[in-house]
């Protein structure tokens, strides 16, 4: 199969930004965009700076055979680190619809995650080769809550219909490493603006 384009993953965020004027909503979308690409690039430590994420984030997953709750930076970083080290931090997003409110972002999309066969087997999903990589393709829904400073509180991620998931074996040439993803995404990962200047400053100036 032809390799998917990792740099298109956040296209729907860009499109929503084009029609979003509320400065607080624009800040949340900017943080959401940055978080997703940092995660894919394996640069997860940059997600957990105080400006982006609360001290004790809580994640809920019901996806790809996983049903779990992660609480605190140590647990979440452990997952991100394992994904980065094993090239499972690679996500492609298609057919996405995004909505932004004052304290959350919601997304419905078709997600494809690059996953090791042995990880799928460990989660109760049968595949032929434990050492091969697969794309796990499923329709997903996500809600990411944010606090009043625009910091992510956590993630709620669930797969709407596991029976309709597709598992696609990848040829070795189509496997994208975390390092390759980091190189491709580096030009797209911009610094997070200062919340007070971006949100409160804009409101005070009447530039909305």
């Amino acid at each position: 199969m032809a390799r998917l384009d990792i740099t298109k993953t956040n296209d729907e965020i860009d499109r929503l930004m084009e029609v979003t004027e509320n400065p607080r909503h624009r800040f949340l979308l900017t943080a959401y965009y940055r978080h997703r690409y940092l995660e894919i690039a394996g640069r997860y430590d940059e997600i957990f700076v105080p400006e982006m994420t609360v001290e004790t984030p809580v994640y809920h997953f019901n996806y790809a055979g996983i049903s779990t709750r992660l609480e605190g930076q140590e647990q979440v970083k452990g997952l991100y680190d394992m994904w980065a080290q094993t090239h499972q931090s690679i996500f492609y997003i298609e057919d996405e619809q995004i909505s932004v409110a004052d304290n959350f972002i919601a997304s419905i999309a078709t997600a494809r995650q690059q996953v090791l066969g042995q990880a799928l087997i460990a989660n109760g999903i049968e595949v032929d080769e434990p050492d091969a990589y697969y794309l796990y393709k499923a329709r997903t829904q996500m809600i990411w809550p944010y606090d009043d400073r625009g910091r992510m509180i956590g993630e709620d991620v669930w797969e709407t219909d596991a029976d309709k998931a597709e598992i696609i074996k990848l040829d070795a040439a189509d496997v994208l490493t975390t390092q390759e993803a980091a190189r491709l995404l580096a030009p797209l990962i911009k610094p997070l603006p200062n919340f007070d200047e971006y949100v409160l400053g804009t409101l005070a100036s009447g530039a909305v």
Side-chain angles (χ1 to χ4, degrees), residues 69-185:
R69 180 181 188 272
L70 304 177
E71 182 171 359
Q73 293 192 16
E74 183 176 351
Q75 289 189 4
V76 179
K77 283 183 179 180
L79 174 65
Y80 283 165
D81 182 67
M82 182 273 289
W83 278 351
Q85 296 298 326
T86 57
H87 314 298
Q88 296 181 96
S89 64
I90 309 302
F91 285 86
Y92 304 94
I93 302 295
E94 303 172 334
D95 302 323
E96 185 170 27
Q97 297 182 54
I98 304 173
S99 180
V100 58
D102 286 350
N103 288 96
F104 71 87
I105 289 176
S107 165
I108 299 175
T110 298
R112 303 185 193 214
Q113 182 183 7
Q114 183 174 277
V115 186
L116 263 173
Q118 57 193 267
L120 292 170
I121 293 169
N123 294 333
I125 298 172
E126 294 185 7
V127 293
D128 295 333
E129 296 186 33
D131 295 329
Y133 279 91
Y134 295 80
L135 284 179
Y136 187 88
K137 180 181 178 182
R139 196 67 178 164
T140 61
Q141 297 181 5
M142 299 193 299
I143 295 178
W144 292 24
Y146 290 82
D147 71 3
D148 289 337
R149 298 284 304 172
R151 301 183 306 165
M152 188 195 67
I153 297 172
E155 297 183 20
D156 298 326
V157 180
W158 64 96
E159 184 177 354
T160 56
D161 195 341
D163 291 339
K164 295 182 179 178
E166 297 179 41
I167 302 169
I168 305 156
K169 184 180 175 183
L170 288 170
D171 293 332
D174 293 324
V175 175
L176 186 67
T177 68
T178 305
Q179 292 76 19
E180 288 175 310
R183 177 182 58 81
L184 291 168
L185 296 178

